[in-house]
Amino acid sequence: MPMRRPLACSALLLAAACATVQRPGPVPPPGPPGPRAVQPLPTEAHFASLRQMTFEGENAEAYWSHDGTQLSLQVRTKDMGCDRIFRMDAQGGALAQVSSGKGATTCAYFLPGDEQLLYASTHGGGEACPPKPDMSQGYVWALYDSYDLYTSRADGTGLQPLTRTPGYDAEATVCPVDGSIVFTSVRDGDVELYRMDRDGQNVKRLTSTPGYDGGAVFNRDCTRLAWRASRPKPGKQLEDYQALLARGLVRPSKLELFVANADGTDARQVTYLDAASFAPAWHPTKDRLLFSSNVGDPKGREFDLWAINADGTQLERITHAPGFDGFPLFSPDGTKLAFSSNRATPPGSSDTHVFIAEWQDAAPPPPPTAADRVKADVAWLADPAREGRGVGTRGLEQAAKWLADRFAALGLSPAGDDGTFLQAFPVVTSVTVAPGSALSFNGKTVQEEAWSPTGFSSDAALTAELAFVGYGIRAPELGVDDYAKAGKLKGRIAVARRFTPTNGRFESSEAQRRYGDLRFKAWAAREAGARALVVVDWPEEKELPPESRLPALSPEGSQDAGIPVLLVKREALGLPLLEQLRAGKHLKAKLQFSLRRGTTQAFNVVGRISAASPAAQPPPGG
């Protein structure tokens, strides 16, 4: 049986102990937690390990120093009104504030040498945080006109402005080779990319297509750029974009990735995801991009990291955690990836933290199939940067060179002019009416602004009787033949109504497109024996609607129709004359005009696949 110590003795020992121990002072606050290991998801095969680096507030856009030992990042905790710039050791530890705490800041990058940081700030327009954008218009970003670019020492001292141009200057990144800077600005009226020297000199504009261009990043040798962009279509989309921009806002719900040479040339669209894709980052040793996108989420809230080749092939999902994964950037040696994520946050929290993954090149995706290659080729040729490959455009020249290089890469032999892949031929690119051209009806001259030949018209020098031919349509499958009612047409000038009838036979858009086409009307008139065709907007309705404009004289489809073809305004003929014509009155017209066609050299791209030698071919029936 164990001995029990008397209570009095125990009290005595306790009193003695208390007499010999000093009282501790105030307990110091705990330091920042060290990096915390987080288990990557089983589907995240590129992450050999994962560490959480921050633990409070919103932490994002963590970018590596050039020696790979530090990260710059923007931070906003509960006691901050807007984002501030900090830096931290890439092994973890306390955050060191760089920006002053005045205004809003964004996008901090180390300059080569890692002794200075570049970032954007609004403090020049006021020390307070700028007002948040009005989200009643949907999710929008604010392009604060007080944003300018600044450099400072890594400890925040020595702050110097790089830009002072009125309007938004931000989203800057740095070339690791020479320290030159690419940034986003509205200085010329649209949201475009610009490049300048490390000291802010020699500013050059890189993009010029309507729409938002921003968030650009250099590849490792600074020969190429990648960025995010919107391309609103002409009409309502472009008008909405410009109306928001006039209020300093953009809507980032539809962003695609683009790449170009570092001087902005040879720009091409990489992704066609119809989603919000942004924050591209180049793989240090591959022609491949990592980026963030909400593709595949109908609600647009689930953002993950994705990878894609710079030619648009081999799209691959990298992360699978719920919530937000974004702003990826490889360490200079390519062994680590810093990114921002909502993962590992406590339930009910929406904090965003910086994570560093040990990167491994997992089993490569399968090589692109023939269909993948064709898709990539078509995407390049159909890219809006090719300008529709119209004759005389830079996009057509780019396409011809690109196809020639592609043919050579595929092993084809040149089959064009002078041992090249290009075969030149002239193309009509302009059509004008020669001076001295004239038109008259029953001796009354028509003012030149009231009539116009078509670009596919023959020249005219004739006087002939007019014959009304309704809409000038021959459509046996619809039971319509306007020329059967017109009587003898040979040697006469056909006068046809423009467009198509409004009855049920022509209610389909296909019928209206086909039978209302001016070339179709010209072909039908020529086949019926007419010497020329005059078209006038004269529908059958009792109350005539306003007259449509005359189409512009265009070289499109300018191959000679075989007869003169012209459009005349309704007012030039006059309704009384038209009614007389419809009643069969004998009226005459005099046509005297010629067209001058300017040509530009265009090219076919021609390659030859050599046949196998007879010895290499299988025998007949083999």
Side-chain angles (χ1 to χ4, degrees):
M1 183 174 179
M3 293 181 63
R4 295 176 63 91
R5 178 172 292 166
L7 184 58
C9 182
S10 298
L12 183 62
L13 291 173
L14 179 60
C18 291
T20 58
V21 176
Q22 296 180 351
R23 282 187 182 277
V27 177
R36 182 169 70 91
V38 177
Q39 189 66 30
L41 296 175
T43 49
E44 296 175 332
H46 285 285
F47 294 169
S49 65
L50 192 60
R51 294 178 294 151
Q52 182 177 347
M53 306 299 293
T54 61
F55 298 89
E56 179 187 5
E58 296 293 323
N59 306 264
E61 301 197 44
Y63 302 136
W64 294 89
S65 61
H66 296 274
D67 64 5
T69 65
Q70 300 179 77
L71 293 169
S72 63
L73 66 157
Q74 59 191 49
V75 177
R76 185 176 72 253
T77 57
K78 293 179 180 178
D79 60 337
M80 301 178 191
C82 45
D83 293 340
R84 299 178 186 175
I85 302 302
F86 286 75
R87 59 185 175 88
M88 68 180 300
D89 192 291
Q91 298 301 315
L95 296 175
Q97 186 167 325
V98 176
S99 63
S100 66
K102 300 174 182 178
T105 55
T106 187
C107 300
Y109 271 82
F110 285 92
L111 289 162
D114 298 331
E115 295 180 356
Q116 287 184 299
L117 279 162
L118 164 75
Y119 61 92
S121 176
T122 66
H123 73 264
E127 297 185 3
C129 295
K132 294 182 179 180
D134 179 8
M135 294 297 177
S136 66
Q137 305 166 94
Y139 183 63
V140 291
W141 286 346
L143 304 177
Y144 298 120
D145 59 9
S146 53
Y147 261 127
D148 275 302
L149 299 177
Y150 296 83
T151 59
S152 75
R153 298 187 186 94
D155 62 4
T157 62
L159 187 66
Q160 295 291 330
L162 283 187
T163 63
R164 295 181 181 274
T165 304
Y168 180 82
D169 291 319
E171 302 177 39
T173 50
V174 175
C175 165
V177 176
D178 60 8
S180 60
I181 296 164
V182 61
F183 65 102
T184 301
S185 177
V186 298
R187 60 185 61 200
D188 291 321
D190 197 12
V191 190
E192 305 289 2
L193 296 181
Y194 296 78
R195 186 174 179 175
M196 63 183 176
D197 295 342
R198 176 174 178 158
D199 60 2
Q201 301 301 306
N202 297 318
V203 178
K204 297 179 181 179
R205 182 172 170 176
L206 303 181
T207 58
S208 58
T209 306
Y212 166 87
D213 293 274
V217 62
F218 288 98
N219 64 350
R220 286 301 299 169
D221 63 6
C222 300
T223 59
R224 302 181 77 193
L225 291 171
W227 73 96
R228 62 193 179 212
S230 70
R231 291 292 179 260
K233 296 178 181 178
K236 188 175 187 308
Q237 280 190 14
L238 183 58
E239 291 169 2
D240 289 347
Y241 164 78
Q242 292 171 337
L244 281 175
L245 182 58
R247 303 203 302 272
L249 302 170
V250 291
R251 182 172 287 114
S253 55
K254 301 292 183 183
L255 296 173
E256 302 288 358
L257 300 189
F258 286 70
V259 297
N261 296 328
D263 61 359
T265 60
D266 196 22
R268 58 153 295 174
Q269 188 171 334
V270 176
T271 62
Y272 293 85
L273 301 178
D274 194 33
S277 301
F278 68 102
W282 293 89
H283 190 287
T285 60
K286 298 180 180 180
D287 199 26
R288 192 160 173 79
L289 297 166
L290 260 66
F291 64 101
S292 183
S293 180
N294 61 355
V295 60
D297 180 12
K299 296 183 178 179
R301 298 173 182 171
E302 179 68 32
F303 282 86
D304 281 291
L305 300 185
W306 295 76
I308 193 169
N309 289 339
D311 64 3
T313 60
Q314 294 187 338
L315 180 68
E316 177 189 10
R317 186 171 176 178
I318 303 298
T319 63
H320 294 259
F324 176 83
D325 290 313
F327 303 112
L329 195 69
F330 281 101
S331 61
D333 62 6
T335 62
K336 300 177 181 65
L337 181 76
F339 67 100
S340 303
S341 178
N342 296 144
R343 68 179 66 204
T345 56
S349 171
S350 61
D351 285 357
T352 304
H353 294 297
V354 174
F355 291 77
I356 294 180
E358 295 287 335
W359 181 264
Q360 58 185 7
D361 283 323
T369 64
D372 291 332
R373 291 192 294 272
V374 169
K375 180 181 178 182
D377 289 350
V378 171
W380 193 93
L381 291 168
D383 193 305
R386 305 289 88 76
E387 304 172 276
R389 304 186 306 283
V391 175
T393 65
R394 188 177 63 173
L396 182 62
E397 296 176 6
Q398 293 173 342
K401 181 181 183 304
W402 184 88
L403 283 169
D405 292 343
R406 190 80 176 94
F407 280 8
L410 293 171
L412 277 66
S413 302
D417 302 332
D418 303 322
T420 71
F421 285 99
L422 302 182
Q423 180 190 62
F425 63 95
V427 174
V428 176
T429 54
S430 65
V431 181
T432 57
V433 181
S437 296
L439 171 68
S440 64
F441 290 106
N442 270 4
K444 182 180 178 181
T445 300
V446 179
Q447 297 298 316
E448 61 181 42
E449 66 272 10
W451 67 282
S452 174
T454 64
F456 51 87
S457 173
S458 299
D459 290 348
L462 64 97
T463 300
E465 189 173 301
L466 300 171
F468 178 64
V469 295
Y471 282 92
I473 295 173
R474 272 184 169 165
E477 71 280 11
L478 300 178
V480 176
D481 187 351
D482 288 333
Y483 287 96
K485 310 170 189 175
K488 183 180 178 182
L489 191 62
K490 189 173 182 180
R492 302 167 76 186
I493 298 171
V495 178
R497 300 181 194 267
R498 196 173 172 187
F499 308 117
T500 60
T502 56
N503 61 43
R505 295 178 183 178
F506 297 93
E507 64 184 2
S508 73
S509 58
E510 173 60 23
Q512 293 170 14
R513 182 197 63 78
R514 180 180 182 185
Y515 296 112
D517 183 73
L518 292 173
R519 295 172 188 81
F520 182 90
K521 291 180 185 288
W523 176 82
R526 187 191 66 191
E527 293 301 301
R531 293 184 65 186
L533 173 66
V534 172
V535 180
V536 59
D537 183 6
W538 179 35
E540 297 174 289
E541 288 91 338
K542 291 182 178 180
E543 294 195 13
L544 295 177
E547 187 170 7
S548 298
R549 293 181 180 179
L550 297 180
L553 184 56
S554 167
E556 183 181 358
S558 59
Q559 185 175 359
D560 194 326
I563 60 173
V565 182
L566 61 152
L567 290 97
V568 181
K569 286 188 176 181
R570 187 191 306 161
E571 63 187 31
L573 283 165
L575 291 178
L577 187 146
L578 288 169
E579 291 297 342
Q580 292 177 39
L581 184 62
R582 184 167 65 170
K585 297 287 186 180
H586 295 286
L587 305 173
K588 288 188 176 182
K590 182 178 181 180
L591 284 59
Q592 183 71 47
F593 64 83
S594 60
L595 299 179
R596 292 179 174 177
R597 293 177 170 87
T599 61
T600 298
Q601 201 82 322
F603 299 91
N604 287 322
V605 184
V606 188
R608 179 185 295 111
I609 301 175
S610 300
S613 65
Q617 296 178 9

